[in-house]
Amino acid sequence: MSDEEYLEEEVVTHTGVGARLKAAREERGLDLTQVAAETRIPQRHLLTIENGALSDLPARTYAVGFSRTYARLVGLDEREIVDQARMELAEDEERTASPDKFEPGDPARVPGRGLAWFALFAGILLIGGIYAFYSSYFAPGLGPAPLEAPEDRTASAAQENDAAPRQAAAPAASGPVVFTSEMDGTWVKFYDANGERLYEAQMDAGDSFTVPSDAEGPQVWTGRPYALAITVGGRSVPKLSEEDEVVKDAPITAEALLARGQDGAAPAQPAAAAAGEG
């Protein structure tokens, strides 16, 4: 490898996702307004990406999905951009999670006298509680008599055990199923078990669709499952997926959606390949 090729590879490796996307956009002679119109991504989010602040976007899935769509428009390798975006997000999370080191010499970090007295008082209470516990444990006859007989406690425990399964019973699967888009430009298609289309559109943020109650085996196909909020009878249920993937033939009856939320079922089966939508 020549020196020029090595330097070029180093520049690409150490350039962030935002800088790479911005350079590709400028090379194609596009401005942010054009990119926003083509990708349906708000211009403020495009600026955030180009400034290298992926972690400032509403969610991790937004950052990955927007970067992927942007890369596709300006002709960059989508998979490479997505991998780099995930790496930058992980590094940001690592930096955020790292606690500041304690510096004894910094007066602002030295506990005040009031805090020291409070800690001493709390320690005395703790020691007193431990002493009282062990005193009652090793000399149970000194404590107060139980308020109910052993047989009463046994009967109460049996009643609680009988009531537990009834309390854990799953709620009835009823009420309308409503899908609401949380992002602009979310392509989605709803259809029944026979493949008959119920609804298909590029949904903007706030747009919603109510699955017809008489639809037979309704299903959904979308490339942004993380952008669709779902309610059943007004009750929020988990999204079809939180990943940047294509989901197809996912059942969306009230029963199926509630079962996914209660039983922790596996997420909807992703399609084998994207259908070319964002």
Side-chain angles (χ1 to χ4, degrees):
M1 180 184 295
S2 66
D3 292 342
E4 292 181 358
E5 291 174 339
Y6 176 78
L7 289 174
E8 182 179 353
E9 182 178 351
E10 286 296 307
V11 169
V12 172
T13 302
H14 292 88
T15 300
V17 167
R20 293 181 63 186
L21 292 171
K22 180 179 180 180
R25 170 178 65 79
E26 293 176 344
E27 184 178 347
R28 287 175 172 261
L30 300 173
D31 58 30
L32 283 177
T33 304
Q34 292 172 295
V35 175
E38 290 287 338
T39 62
R40 305 298 295 275
I41 299 174
Q43 191 168 336
R44 66 182 184 279
H45 291 334
L46 294 174
L47 282 171
T48 300
I49 293 172
E50 290 192 353
N51 290 334
L54 293 177
S55 57
D56 290 345
L57 290 171
R60 178 188 179 89
T61 49
Y62 283 53
V64 173
F66 287 164
S67 299
R68 176 171 174 261
T69 304
Y70 197 165
R72 181 186 308 161
L73 176 68
V74 297
L76 296 180
D77 188 305
E78 296 177 30
R79 183 178 296 275
E80 182 180 340
I81 289 295
V82 166
D83 289 343
Q84 187 175 353
R86 286 174 174 158
M87 186 182 303
E88 290 182 12
L89 287 167
E91 290 174 355
D92 289 344
E93 291 173 0
E94 222 175 282
R95 283 194 296 270
T96 304
S98 299
D100 295 336
K101 294 182 179 179
F102 180 74
E103 300 175 4
D106 186 356
R109 296 176 179 267
V110 177
R113 179 175 299 178
L115 180 59
W117 279 108
F118 176 78
L120 177 61
F121 179 70
I124 293 173
L125 288 179
L126 179 62
I127 293 172
I130 293 174
Y131 174 77
F133 170 77
Y134 278 101
S135 296
S136 61
Y137 183 82
F138 289 107
L142 300 178
L147 298 179
E148 58 181 355
E151 56 271 17
D152 294 336
R153 292 198 299 272
T154 304
S156 298
Q159 291 175 358
E160 290 177 1
N161 291 335
D162 291 340
R166 292 193 295 271
Q167 294 174 354
S174 61
V177 175
V178 181
F179 283 75
T180 303
S181 177
E182 297 179 337
M183 295 171 53
D184 291 336
T186 301
W187 179 85
V188 63
K189 179 179 179 181
F190 297 91
Y191 47 95
D192 62 18
N194 299 319
E196 293 294 329
R197 182 174 60 185
L198 303 173
Y199 176 77
E200 180 179 2
Q202 290 272 2
M203 299 176 71
D204 290 331
D207 290 349
S208 63
F209 170 71
T210 302
V211 179
S213 58
D214 58 350
E216 182 180 352
Q219 302 173 46
V220 66
W221 178 8
T222 182
R224 288 181 179 174
Y226 54 85
L228 293 172
I230 311 172
T231 59
V232 177
R235 170 190 172 192
S236 295
V237 298
K239 296 181 180 180
L240 298 173
S241 175
E242 292 290 353
E243 298 297 325
D244 180 28
E245 61 184 354
V246 176
V247 170
K248 186 177 181 182
D249 299 337
I252 54 172
T253 60
E255 294 82 357
L257 294 172
L258 287 175
R260 288 180 62 255
Q262 294 159 4
D263 301 334
Q269 183 68 27
E277 54 84 37

